[in-house]
Amino acid sequence: MKAASAAAVLLVSTSAHAQTSVTVYGIMDACVAVSSNNEGPTTQISSGCGYGSRLGFRGQENLGNGLKADFTLESGISLDSGALGQGGRLFGRKALVGLIGSYGQLHVGRDYSPTFYLVRPVDPWKLGMGTASSTISTGARSDGLGRNDNAIVYTSPTMRGFTVKGSYALGESATEHSRARDARGVLVSYTDGKLLAGIGFSSNANAQDNGNDKTATIGASYKFTSIEPAFLYQVGKWEGTRSAAAPALPNAFFSRDYDSLMVGFTLQPGGQGGRWIASYKRYNDKTVRDFDAQQVTVGYKYELSKRTELYTAYSRVRNGDNSQYAVVDANTTYGPVNPGMHPSTFFAGITHRF
């Protein structure tokens, strides 16, 4: 009887373990960054130069009949100080819970906007050094540190390579019938293992509910044997947080009316080991003269293993006469920058995944 009871307990335990899983994962990334800006050459230790450092927990439970419950909790970490990222939020990178079934996925919580899921995988730098997101908006609220709180997110099943992702993030205004700070977005993407292409839209209401920041973004990348070219193009109208009287800011991209382009590639001879990465970005502010900018970033990443890589890169911004945009990586803006200055940053760092 004791043996039978022990076997039954073991069977139940094994069954429960098979139905539920929790994964702990993370990325630890740090670099030495040498910048040329207003203060002359400066050297600092930065966290998240290549990829944002993070600690995450991901879990899933099989509910039967093809239905699963899952969650994701992800903290941003500043390795140079040990502090939490995203303004000190415990799970500032992502906090979601939801259901997965044959009709798709439905989640609620804090998440990136749908356009992010096009910009990030297409960008050769994956939003690290020379990040595309400094000149191409990911569609999130301007005060959300790249994410939207209070989001309801639906992701369709993939059918013949096509997937639709839609998000509605509540602004939770106290004013009756107001849609102030509501953030809406949709992405239609296609992938076949080599080609990734998509088109995304976003519209975010301002705090007064009398204007919206809107973007339309297209992008694609294609994996050949040893090279992967990529491009992104966005048109935007910041009619919620910019005014006709003040259509642009000298040190913040995304004016009242703009377009932005990124082209780049990843070159990996032999298909393994080291890879060369380069991108060129051109930001065109249509509202005022000489608020434009161009940026070139080139670098090299070398895999010591599947989990650890070394990297080095150089990025330079060429500002218009009145703009003062800085070099930006996954976490840090390397400023300050005077109007018309052409700042640059050299990076050398390490990334470890687990």
Side-chain angles (χ1 to χ4, degrees), residues 25-220:
Y25 65 93
I27 297 177
M28 298 296 124
D29 180 286
C31 80
V32 177
V34 181
S35 300
S36 174
N37 49 40
N38 289 2
E39 300 173 354
T42 59
T43 303
Q44 64 190 87
I45 303 297
S46 291
S47 175
C49 311
Y51 308 88
S53 297
R54 70 202 69 173
L55 174 64
F57 305 88
R58 186 165 44 233
Q60 192 173 94
E61 180 186 14
N62 191 338
L63 302 174
N65 297 318
L67 185 65
K68 299 177 181 179
D70 79 330
F71 75 91
T72 301
L73 295 171
E74 195 171 283
S75 298
I77 300 172
S78 298
L79 287 188
D80 52 337
S81 66
L84 290 172
Q86 290 74 51
R89 298 177 185 231
L90 179 57
F91 296 111
R93 290 186 58 88
K94 186 177 284 192
L96 290 170
V97 65
L99 296 171
I100 302 174
S102 59
Y103 295 100
Q105 305 177 26
L106 184 65
H107 292 92
V108 294
R110 175 174 168 83
D111 194 12
Y112 302 96
S113 75
T115 298
F116 169 92
Y117 292 96
L118 173 65
V119 175
R120 198 270 177 188
V122 169
D123 180 12
W125 295 103
K126 308 307 177 190
L127 305 189
M129 304 158 294
T131 172
S133 65
S134 66
T135 59
I136 295 177
S137 171
T138 60
R141 295 189 188 102
S142 59
D143 60 352
L145 300 173
R147 290 94 172 161
N148 289 325
D149 294 339
N150 314 314
I152 303 168
V153 185
Y154 171 74
T155 307
S156 76
T158 299
M159 294 176 287
R160 296 185 177 181
F162 288 94
T163 305
V164 178
K165 182 183 286 287
S167 173
Y168 197 109
L170 301 176
E172 299 189 349
S173 172
T175 304
E176 187 176 4
H177 304 305
S178 173
R179 293 291 179 262
R181 300 187 68 254
D182 283 10
R184 293 147 288 192
V186 64
L187 170 67
V188 179
S189 60
Y190 172 83
T191 183
D192 64 3
K194 291 185 176 181
L195 172 65
L196 168 62
I199 179 168
F201 302 92
S202 69
S203 179
N204 301 331
N206 64 11
Q208 293 74 39
D209 195 22
N210 61 6
N212 294 273
D213 294 344
K214 295 172 286 187
T215 66
T217 310
I218 60 173

Side-chain angles (χ1 to χ4, degrees), residues 262-278:
M262 184 229 62
V263 292
F265 67 84
T266 301
L267 176 63
Q268 191 166 19
Q272 60 183 358
R275 61 195 187 277
W276 294 95
I277 304 172

Side-chain angles (χ1 to χ4, degrees), residues 295-333:
Q295 183 174 4
V296 174
T297 307
V298 295
Y300 184 77
K301 295 186 177 183
Y302 184 78
E303 293 181 346
L304 297 176
S305 69
K306 290 183 178 181
R307 296 168 54 184
T308 303
E309 71 178 14
L310 302 177
Y311 60 80
T312 184
Y314 175 79
S315 186
R316 186 173 188 265
V317 176
R318 183 176 181 83
N319 280 304
D321 289 345
N322 295 315
S323 53
Q324 50 192 101
Y325 307 124
V327 175
V328 180
D329 63 21
N331 273 4
T332 305
T333 299

